[in-house]
Amino acid sequence: MSFELAAKTEAGACLVRLAEHLAEDLAAHAVDHDRAGTYPFKSFAALADHRYFTAAVPEEQGGLGVTLVHDVVVASTRLAHGDPAVAIGVNMHLQVALNILRRWQMGIASGNERRAAAFEASMGMIVNDGMVMAAAISEPGQDLTRPGTVATRTESGWRIKGRKIFCTMAPAATTLIASVRFTDDDGGERYVFAQIPSDAPGVEVLDDWDALGMRASGSNSVQFNGVELPAAAIRGGFPAGDPLPYMERNLTAGVLHGSSSLGIAEAADTFARSDFIERGHGVARAHTRMLAAENAVELSACRATLARAATLLDEHYAANPSTDGTDEQITALFAEGQAAKAFVNEAATRIVDRALALSGGAGYLSKSPLSRAYRDVRAGSFMHPLGVTRAYELLGHVSLGEAPTQL
């Protein structure tokens, strides 16, 4: 009997089944792309053909109608069973899509028709235009709330200059969601997310991704060489350096990043146990049973932790349909998501390590999925937001009743 996480809604259950089906196809190509360090465009096309990128768009807007964060997270764990390098890129698209959904719902609930229409148009681009979004957020040595990439006003709009790293899925995405900093009319610095077409003049996706793990994720660097955007492309945002609105816009990041780590751990544990049984070793030695038991304990804890954090988000959204909620709620929710991410990232690494030990020398060979899992699972701990060191810093402040002043 399997006790993997299950969706709460029928739409979510359909997405989980679709993820399980697609994972089989992803797995068939994962080994070769990992070995070569190439992006799996055919796997990306399969996801697009099955409309997976529309998952978080309501059915009435033409999407798959999975509006619970919990159900998106469950499906993401299954997708990571096949190829976590692909799944992490999909998760970054879905994080933005879930934010768009949330803003649309808030516009409807508050009676702000103009706001609702703007976000409905974005959902329409995902459904009708096939928009797939990659996050162009990370920068070398970055201050998370003060992007180094700058938007400067021009006579016709804005000019974007800067460099981003770890832009997962950049080789295939149609749109780059870039964090930029600009100066408003009052001279204050503001942080905003700009939607930049990946084929816009001045956008350069560099062929520089060569890493220990997640080798097929297409986490290339992107250079913005004076990219011109219209005036309407950048407005609003929030004061640069303010951690609270940054946290609010990244509430789902922790659980989505954690879903990939859990998926890797689940697949590694299943493979190692099945392989051990098929090799017919008879009665397992005490230490072997201990390895399997410890994995069972930590998998159970990971599933419970991730499901709880995702459910807290869904409950918060339901209780605050027209507003973001209080500052205290946002901080607490972000901290819960980051605690879940930190725990699952670290526990998943231990689970994969035990699975490798359970497999013996066979798992150490490059052709073994455990070899790839051993490398891939280590990526979760440094993925923002938040990398593990910053996560513990934040959690220490929040646990001691101190308001975080930076991230």
Side-chain angles (χ1 to χ4, degrees):
M1 180 180 291
S2 173
F3 287 103
E4 291 176 328
L5 296 178
K8 297 180 178 180
T9 66
E10 180 54 35
C14 289
L15 185 67
V16 170
R17 290 192 292 270
L18 176 58
E20 290 172 342
H21 169 72
L22 290 169
E24 295 180 10
D25 182 63
L26 299 184
H29 305 290
V31 174
D32 291 339
H33 285 291
D34 174 76
R35 190 180 296 275
T38 52
Y39 189 79
F41 286 98
K42 289 185 178 180
S43 296
F44 175 90
L47 289 160
D49 289 345
H50 285 84
R51 304 176 62 238
Y52 200 95
F53 294 105
T54 75
V57 178
E59 289 183 354
E60 61 267 32
Q61 305 302 329
L64 298 184
V66 186
T67 57
L68 287 184
V69 176
H70 175 276
D71 289 0
V72 172
V73 166
V74 174
S76 292
T77 66
R78 304 297 206 278
L79 203 63
H81 289 180
D83 190 347
V86 172
I88 61 169
V90 176
N91 283 347
M92 292 178 188
H93 166 91
L94 291 176
Q95 179 187 343
V96 180
L98 284 167
N99 277 343
I100 291 172
L101 169 67
R102 168 67 170 157
R103 296 299 176 187
W104 174 73
Q105 291 171 330
M106 289 172 62
I108 296 293
S110 64
N112 189 331
E113 296 181 1
R114 180 177 179 182
R115 186 184 198 192
F119 288 105
E120 185 173 323
S122 294
M123 292 190 291
M125 294 173 67
I126 295 173
V127 172
N128 302 317
D129 302 334
M131 181 172 72
V132 178
M133 300 168 285
I137 308 295
S138 295
E139 298 173 347
Q142 74 184 125
D143 178 339
L144 292 179
T145 60
R146 283 192 173 85
T149 299
V150 174
T152 305
R153 294 182 189 273
T154 66
E155 291 184 1
S156 59
W158 300 90
R159 180 176 295 114
I160 311 297
K161 289 186 178 181
R163 180 186 179 91
K164 301 291 185 177
I165 58 175
F166 293 101
C167 302
T168 303
M169 202 169 61
T174 66
T175 302
L176 300 170
I177 305 299
S179 58
V180 303
R181 178 168 45 91
F182 73 99
T183 303
D184 64 20
D185 294 338
D186 297 323
E189 288 190 329
R190 299 188 70 80
Y191 181 124
V192 72
F193 296 103
Q195 292 189 11
I196 303 177
S198 58
D199 60 355
V203 174
E204 184 180 3
V205 178
L206 304 179
D207 184 17
D208 63 351
W209 180 242
D210 185 14
L212 172 69
M214 296 292 185
R215 290 179 50 76
S217 65
S219 299
N220 302 45
S221 299
V222 174
Q223 188 78 33
F224 297 120
N225 301 308
V227 179
E228 300 287 341
L229 295 179
I234 294 177
R235 58 182 151 195
F238 58 88
D242 187 347
L244 190 70
Y246 177 91
M247 290 190 288
E248 191 280 324
R249 286 157 178 79
N250 286 281
L251 285 177
T252 62
V255 291
L256 283 169
H257 285 326
S259 71
S260 294
S261 294
L262 176 56
I264 295 170
E266 288 178 330
D269 176 72
T270 298
F271 177 85
R273 286 186 296 103
S274 299
D275 184 61
F276 180 86
I277 294 170
E278 288 174 4
R279 281 184 281 146
H281 287 293
V283 178
R285 295 177 183 273
H287 181 65
T288 300
R289 292 198 303 274
M290 180 60 73
L291 291 172
E294 287 177 333
N295 272 5
V297 170
E298 290 211 296
L299 280 171
S300 180
C302 285
R303 290 163 179 159
T305 300
L306 204 59
R308 175 180 178 273
T311 297
L312 286 173
L313 286 173
D314 289 323
E315 291 174 348
H316 173 78
Y317 293 159
N320 298 273
S322 60
T323 68
D324 291 333
T326 66
D327 292 357
E328 292 77 11
Q329 289 172 326
I330 295 300
T331 301
L333 282 167
F334 185 77
E336 284 293 329
Q338 292 304 312
K341 175 184 180 295
F343 175 77
V344 173
N345 288 161
E346 294 175 348
T349 300
R350 294 191 294 268
I351 291 166
V352 173
D353 286 354
R354 293 190 199 103
L356 186 61
L358 186 62
S359 74
Y364 196 70
L365 300 177
S366 295
K367 66 180 180 180
S368 171
L370 293 178
S371 172
R372 188 171 73 254
Y374 181 84
R375 292 180 284 108
D376 285 350
V377 77
R378 282 161 166 75
S381 292
F382 65 78
M383 290 171 64
H384 281 313
L386 294 170
V388 66
T389 55
R390 298 198 193 192
Y392 276 102
E393 181 76 12
L394 168 77
L395 293 169
H397 281 297
V398 173
S399 297
L400 295 174
E402 301 169 353
T405 57
Q406 64 178 22
L407 297 173

